[in-house]
Amino acid sequence: MKRTLLTLFAALAVLPALADEGMWLPSLISERIDDMRSKGFRLTAEDIYSINQASMKDAVVLFDGGCTGELVSPEGLLLTNHHCGYDAIQRHSTVEHDYLTHGFWAMSRAEELPNEGLNVRFLVRMEEVTDRLKAGETAEEIVRRAEAEGKGFRASVEQMYYGNQQFLFVYRQFDDVRLVAAPPSSIGKFGGDTDNWIWPRHTGDFSMFRVYASKDNKPAAYSPDNVPYRPGKFFTVSAGGVGEGDFTMIYGFPGNTQEYILSDAVAYIAERSDPAKIAIRTGRLDIISKAQESDPALRIHYAAKQATIANAWKKWQGEALGIGRRGTAETKRAYEEAFEAWAQDKPAYRDVVKRLREEYARIADPYFAREITAETIYALPAKYTAEERAEAVFARREATERAQWKYLFGEYARRCPVQYQTPAFLRGVASEGSPEAYAERVFEGVWSGRDTTAVTALRDDSRRMLSHITWLLGTKSLRNLASSRLNELYTLYIRGLREWDRERAFYPDANLTLRVAYGSVAGYRYADGEYHKPLTTLDGIIAKDNPEIYDYDIPQVLRDLHASKDYGRWGVEIGGRKTVPVCFLATNHTTGGNSGSPVLNARGELVGINFDRTWLSTMSDIAFDPDICRNIAVDIRYVLFVIDRVGGAGYLLDEMKIRR
């Protein structure tokens, strides 16, 4: 009994929702508003979310299906991250017009560049539909009725708390979104992979787009006749700055968290899944980096792919390290044991943890096979399109593509559990003598386009194997280690947790729906005990500047501005010196999808753009630790400074409402 009580005390001391933890549904933010106001927030719940009047939600968009953006002018001007706009910037870049390297600044509306396939979505409303579903309506019926309500409407029904609650989200989608401005990559991607997920940070991670609409302000396909969208709400920009302890709020579309998973799943992530995926991507990055170093055209061609591969690669490293250092699996296990002790006389919940553990043991191997297949066989193209073949750089890609095929076939053979390797692959390896030799044969046919029989057979067989794994798991919803049985059990488990742990502030896992997170500007102590201040400046950029290293070779104009201290209205006094603020840290709970999210002050004014977390903070997808979890934002003053003094596009600032 003594051990049980001690275990319970330890678990409860660590796991309940702590200061600044949580990703809250905007429609229910009135339940949190008193806490927000006690921490400095000056507005109301209606200011954050309302369907009866313009509110902050009307100035926030889901950008390109996976990031967040915010409107900053009455003429549809939109800010997001540089890395969120990276694909669009790359598509418009050539060796002659290298917008990645040199930046892009539209000096008039006519120069703004359209982007096929890029869209933004505004949330119209969200509402709970749990009772409607219980009454017999289907999700498809609910969605169909919602989408019929207006032009450009898109809708979805999303689970919260593993299905204990269901919400309808209705969006208005705009498909004419044009590139307005992007700083050079030496600003927007300053520090590159070296600084990714790292603090101190000095990255000007922003880009600008504009949303266009028909003349009646409705969604419309691209047309030269379209006009800038007139939003119901846009954010005032605050140039007053931030200081340690200041209230901050993030409003965005966080993508995916797993806050309530069992310790078994945490161990799988940190000890099996993450290490394998890190190793595979390390090899891919090595191959791509060699190509980029050898040829400027290949550097541009592989830029977006390299960034995409590297982002998750480094994130997984920090996640596994954070989980290990903070003893997350052990802490969760203690919490589970405490719950089990409480549930002994509760028949509904008595065996739920035991059954969850049994299901994890059953599905671990097939799910791992699915992950390895995605990282290897499915990371390779089924064909090279006619458009690719017409590109001037295509022939120069051959050696790099060949190397990737050979490497990934080898990794699939070595890492995928053999019982889940596809028969076509096993036959090919047996016939050719090795995975690499088999890869050579398949690649030759795909590259030339003359014979795609082998890759078609491999793809078909892989699809059949993945279908078999899906059947074993019982669900197609497999963003995380999951199965239909797990989802059923978690529905029960979460219900039990909310009944048992009444002191814990439960919030639904992120699922790319609009959420509010709030906290404050704060530094932190890293593993070495050194205190890291929450603000960086242009002086830090100059200290890192190195023309010999691509990621740290800043534009000459920045060097000149620093030397002259000609910062215009964006210069501030910090520590007795004149400089420009660049980035800051805060304690807001964020994840992927929050990239580009507005960081707002107590008055709801834009003070920064979220773009990253500190390295160990990536564990916040699984467990939020207030001692180490910090989001990283680019200071809006640096954004304004770059637009004005580097880009020479100060006219864009005239559209904005800037408050000192």
Side-chain angles (χ1 to χ4, degrees), residues 3 7 140 168 212 233 257 280 295 319 321 329 361-362 367 375 381 387 453 478 491 562 565 630:
R3 182 180 179 277
T7 300
E140 292 76 16
L168 168 69
Y212 279 77
K233 174 75 175 178
T257 59
I280 292 169
D295 188 327
E319 180 177 74
L321 187 60
R362 184 184 77 87
Y367 189 85
E375 289 290 324
E387 291 77 14
T453 305
L478 291 169
T491 302
H562 181 264
K565 301 297 186 287
R630 300 288 185 271

Side-chain angles (χ1 to χ4, degrees), residues 174-208:
F174 288 80
D175 296 309
D176 188 353
V177 183
R178 305 181 195 181
L179 178 63
V180 175
S185 289
S186 53
I187 290 176
K189 202 170 177 285
F190 180 79
D193 295 333
T194 305
D195 283 4
N196 193 20
W197 307 105
I198 298 297
W199 186 261
R201 198 69 173 273
H202 300 87
T203 310
D205 196 347
F206 78 93
S207 57
M208 303 184 78

Side-chain angles (χ1 to χ4, degrees), residues 350-420:
R350 183 184 297 134
D351 297 323
V352 67
V353 171
K354 175 176 177 289
R355 285 180 283 164
L356 280 164
R357 296 197 197 287
E358 291 171 347
E359 180 64 2
Y360 275 124
R362 184 184 77 87
I363 70 171
D365 276 356
Y367 189 85
F368 183 70
R370 184 179 181 276
E371 290 198 286
I372 296 300
T373 302
E375 289 290 324
T376 55
I377 300 299
Y378 272 79
L380 294 165
K383 64 177 181 179
Y384 295 95
T385 66
E387 291 77 14
E388 285 182 282
R389 296 178 184 280
E391 294 172 354
V393 73
F394 182 72
R396 292 167 12 216
R397 291 169 51 195
E398 182 176 359
T400 304
E401 296 296 307
R402 184 187 303 274
Q404 289 195 82
W405 278 76
K406 293 171 68 175
Y407 171 74
L408 290 174
F409 270 46
E411 288 296 287
Y412 178 76
R414 284 184 282 276
R415 296 183 183 276
C416 184
V418 68
Q419 66 269 37
Y420 298 110

